[in-house]
Amino acid sequence: EALQIMHDNKFLTLPVCESNGSVVGIVDVMDCVYASGGADGWRSIFASAMECDDLTDTASVHSNRSGSVQHSVKSTRSTRKKSNMPVSKLRPKAPMISSSNDTVLSVAQMLASKRGDAAIITDLNGGLAGIITDTDVTRRVVAKNLPASSTCVADVMTANPSCVAMADPATDALVTMVENRFRHLPVTDDNGAVVGVLDIAKCLNDAITRLERSKDKGSNAAEEALKASLGGAGGAQAAALQQLLGPLLSQAFSGQSSPTLRTVLAGKPSTMVSPSTTIQQTGNMMAEARKAALVVENGRLIGIFGFKDMMTRAIAKEMPLDYTAVSTVMTPNPESVSPDTTVLEALQIMHDNKFLTLPVCEVNGRVVGIVDVMDCVYASGGADGWRSIFASAMEC
């Protein structure tokens, strides 16, 4: 379990504490490797990994429901040429499961303990009933002033969510997420058992990484596919997509640039709060804007408070939301970028640092706003432009 946590979060070490907070010690990757088989045991694992062409990091959650889930989604552009790669190639995350009878508090605590941000909710028969995310907790529980300890998760989850099957085309699944602004998408097997969850941020990171690596292998599949798909795109959009894959492309459109974050943020609602603003007030603002909160003091950015922070640091720990200042649960001194950063540069920064959001500040420190992964995706081609990127990544 520790190795899985390190893998999912790109950690090299893990502090270990008792449930009462008592510090036990710290383990690193090699501690776990040696404690789970050492060189001899891992030799076969490495050998198997080298031979596999369909690695998934999922654990099947078997459903007792007869038949398959009927609400599998298809992209509205499904008539176009599809990649043959299945969803399984996207390596969906293992699902984190809760029952529809559980309270929001217990689900939040489960997700906090496993460092998750979305839970699959099953009905009494073990079938897929819904999904709840960290964003849902803020929008449907905190902003509605519902008590997490007594609110049933079934009352605030997204019921009967859209889903895809492991064998469905990967590109269609990814484009569906972009088109519908889905951050998470459940994945089922042929029998309707939930076997994984796609996370659009992870998928974007993986797609960019695959394309970057293809350059080292001398592949020009991405370049050819993109050139073909950009034939009817506007100049700025074409330049944006070219710039995203700059290391991969042998040619660039000179004299053109991607939209900047200043343009993306124009007219968007502000989510700036002071350090003394309560968690409840902050949550209300976040729910309305659907954005993380920026904590600002004397005009300077001093912290950030996101939806996952709300769930894991406030709800899961049963903090009194009306009496606790956001400064006590924020992430202090976050990195920020200039509003003159292009959306493609922002995507690259998010990819390189595994960020989901980016605060935007002027050179003099004045806070402009915050952008997330989906803001940048929509500003750099949307579903149409990204279809070719996803398809190219699947072929690399």
Side-chain angles (χ1 to χ4, degrees):
E1 290 173 334
L3 277 172
Q4 186 69 51
I5 292 171
M6 291 183 193
H7 166 262
D8 291 344
N9 296 277
K10 305 297 187 295
F11 295 156
L12 294 177
T13 58
L14 268 183
V16 182
C17 299
E18 300 283 3
S19 57
N20 63 6
S22 172
V23 178
V24 178
I26 188 169
V27 295
D28 59 29
V29 171
M30 295 309 296
D31 291 328
C32 296
V33 167
Y34 274 91
S36 57
D40 289 336
W42 281 84
R43 177 186 297 277
S44 61
I45 295 177
F46 291 142
S48 297
M50 294 301 98
E51 295 171 0
C52 288
D53 62 356
D54 185 17
L55 291 177
T56 63
D57 53 2
T58 61
S60 176
V61 178
H62 295 288
S63 171
N64 293 323
R65 173 183 295 171
S66 60
S68 60
V69 178
Q70 298 298 316
H71 40 278
S72 180
V73 298
K74 299 294 182 183
S75 167
T76 57
R77 274 75 168 182
S78 60
T79 56
R80 299 183 183 180
K81 184 178 180 180
K82 300 177 183 177
S83 167
N84 292 325
M85 295 294 185
V87 166
S88 60
K89 289 290 186 181
L90 299 175
R91 299 183 298 120
K93 292 182 177 180
M96 298 181 184
I97 308 294
S98 289
S99 167
S100 55
N101 290 331
D102 290 340
T103 65
V104 172
L105 175 60
S106 66
V107 174
Q109 290 174 335
M110 181 274 290
L111 289 172
S113 68
K114 296 183 177 181
R115 302 175 185 267
D117 49 21
I120 296 297
I121 309 301
T122 58
D123 58 26
L124 296 179
N125 296 320
L128 175 62
I131 185 172
I132 188 168
T133 70
D134 50 4
T135 304
D136 296 332
V137 171
T138 296
R139 294 182 55 233
R140 301 174 185 174
V141 179
V142 175
K144 302 294 185 182
N145 292 295
L146 297 177
S149 59
S150 58
T151 299
C152 183
V153 70
D155 295 332
V156 292
M157 69 183 184
T158 298
N160 302 313
S162 299
C163 60
V164 292
M166 274 289 195
D168 284 345
T171 301
D172 277 357
L174 292 169
V175 173
T176 293
M177 296 179 79
V178 173
E179 285 178 339
N180 296 281
R181 286 184 174 265
F182 293 157
R183 166 78 191 281
H184 303 90
L185 191 62
V187 181
T188 65
D189 63 14
D190 292 339
N191 297 317
V194 180
V195 294
V197 177
L198 289 177
D199 183 322
I200 190 62
K202 177 181 180 293
C203 292
L204 288 172
N205 285 336
D206 288 349
I208 293 173
T209 298
R210 281 178 182 234
L211 291 169
E212 287 177 337
R213 288 174 179 172
S214 75
K215 171 64 161 54
D216 297 331
K217 297 178 181 179
S219 170
N220 63 356
E223 178 177 355
E224 295 304 318
L226 279 173
K227 284 182 178 178
S229 69
L230 293 176
Q237 184 188 62
L241 293 175
Q242 291 276 8
Q243 183 176 344
L244 172 64
L245 303 175
L248 297 174
L249 304 178
S250 59
Q251 298 178 354
F253 294 161
S254 60
Q256 298 172 326
S257 61
S258 166
T260 65
L261 299 185
R262 192 186 303 278
T263 302
V264 174
L265 288 171
K268 294 288 180 67
S270 169
T271 53
M272 289 182 276
V273 298
S274 70
S276 60
T277 304
T278 67
I279 298 176
Q280 181 64 57
Q281 293 170 325
T282 303
N284 294 342
M285 184 177 294
M286 291 166 61
E288 182 176 357
R290 299 196 179 196
K291 295 290 182 186
L294 298 175
V295 185
V296 179
E297 186 174 42
N298 298 323
R300 303 285 176 169
L301 179 67
I302 65 168
I304 186 172
F305 184 66
F307 294 103
K308 190 171 183 178
D309 300 327
M310 174 70 81
M311 183 179 69
T312 61
R313 300 177 184 177
I315 298 300
K317 295 185 177 179
E318 301 184 78
M319 304 282 282
L321 306 186
D322 283 314
Y323 304 101
T324 305
V326 70
S327 58
T328 63
V329 289
M330 71 181 186
T331 298
N333 305 314
E335 293 188 36
S336 63
V337 296
S338 163
D340 297 319
T341 302
T342 68
V343 293
L344 278 311
E345 290 171 337
L347 274 173
Q348 189 67 53
I349 292 170
M350 291 184 194
H351 166 259
D352 292 344
N353 296 279
K354 303 298 185 293
F355 293 157
L356 294 177
T357 57
L358 268 182
V360 182
C361 300
E362 299 281 6
V363 176
N364 63 8
R366 185 178 70 84
V367 179
V368 178
I370 188 169
V371 294
D372 58 31
V373 170
M374 296 307 293
D375 291 328
C376 295
V377 166
Y378 270 87
S380 59
D384 287 334
W386 278 85
R387 173 182 291 277
S388 61
I389 295 177
F390 291 141
S392 298
M394 294 297 98
E395 296 169 1
C396 290

